[in-house]
């Protein structure tokens, strides 16, 4: 299930649209700017070799929260015409995209600020959890907590607790 309509493309799934598909969705003849963010899996963290990330989440709740964020973003940045917000679930190997955000607006500033707002709030509020898997000998896999900087201060955000 996704929350796609003519203004928002929202999807949390094992198979997400590509950057090109997301950019194509937000493209609009009234817009002179498309701003994008693609989060990809890097191969290292604190001197450990990362082999992949694995994401878990509750899709209906995650997509509902992404829709709320998109609505908030278009209220905050009123010239934004369309938004695509997609996040992968399951395994995400090194150099693969885990999250793609795109926004279009007549001029660049609102689209750029919208994307920054969306990634910061997505990491803080959307119920998706990330596990880092390491190369043999670098330690066991670890569930990662998002710690973000907000207004010059570190703020702790959601973490999935193993039982």
């Amino acid at each position: 299930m996704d929350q796609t309509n003519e203004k928002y493309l929202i999807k949390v799934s094992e198979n997400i649209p590509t950057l090109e598909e997301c950019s194509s969705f937000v493209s609009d003849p009234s817009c002179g700017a498309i701003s994008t963010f693609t989060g990809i899996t890097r191969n290292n963290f604190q001197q450990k070799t990362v082999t992949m990330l694995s994401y878990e989440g509750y899709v209906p709740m995650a997509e509902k929260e992404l829709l709320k964020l998109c609505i908030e973003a278009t209220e905050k940045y009123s010239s934004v015409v369309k938004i695509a917000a997609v996040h992968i679930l399951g395994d995400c190997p090194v150099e693969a995209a885990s999250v793609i955000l795109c926004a279009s607006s007549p001029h660049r500033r609102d689209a750029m600020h919208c994307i920054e707002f969306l990634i910061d709030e997505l990491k803080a509020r959307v119920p998706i959890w990330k596990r880092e898997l390491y190369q043999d000998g670098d330690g066991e896999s670890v569930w990662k907590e998002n710690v973000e900087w907000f207004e010059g201060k570190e703020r702790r955000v959601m973490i999935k607790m193993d039982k």
Side-chain angles (χ1 to χ4, degrees), residues 79-99:
S79 75
V80 168
V81 174
K82 291 182 180 178
I83 295 173
V86 301
H87 200 296
I88 198 164
L89 290 182
D91 293 341
C92 187
V94 171
E95 296 188 65
S98 57
V99 59

Side-chain angles (χ1 to χ4, degrees), residues 29-40:
S30 69
C31 294
I34 295 175
S35 186
T36 69
F37 172 82
T38 304
I40 60 169

Side-chain angles (χ1 to χ4, degrees), residues 1-11 25 63:
M1 179 182 120
D2 65 43
Q3 297 283 331
T4 302
N5 60 38
E6 61 189 43
K7 187 169 181 104
Y8 307 119
L9 167 61
I10 296 168
K11 187 169 189 176
F25 175 84
E63 289 182 345

Side-chain angles (χ1 to χ4, degrees), residues 32-125:
I34 295 175
S35 186
T36 69
F37 172 82
T38 304
I40 60 169
T41 301
R42 64 178 175 267
N43 69 357
N44 66 86
F45 180 76
Q46 296 181 345
Q47 289 79 47
K48 293 181 182 181
T49 302
V50 175
T51 58
M52 76 172 62
L53 299 178
S54 185
Y55 293 91
E56 289 185 12
Y58 180 58
V59 174
M61 185 182 282
E63 289 182 345
K64 183 178 178 182
E65 192 62 33
L66 273 176
L67 178 60
K68 281 191 216 174
L69 289 178
C70 290
I71 291 167
E72 286 177 35
T74 52
E75 289 170 353
K76 187 174 175 102
Y77 306 103
S78 59
S79 75
V80 168
V81 174
K82 291 182 180 178
I83 295 173
V86 301
H87 200 296
I88 198 164
L89 290 182
D91 293 341
C92 187
V94 171
E95 296 188 65
S98 57
V99 59
I100 300 171
L101 302 169
C102 299
S104 59
S105 62
H107 304 283
R108 72 182 183 277
R109 194 159 315 275
D110 271 3
M112 292 168 64
H113 290 305
C114 176
I115 294 301
E116 182 178 27
F117 169 82
L118 286 171
I119 191 59
D120 289 345
E121 293 302 313
L122 181 154
K123 289 179 72 90
R125 295 168 41 187

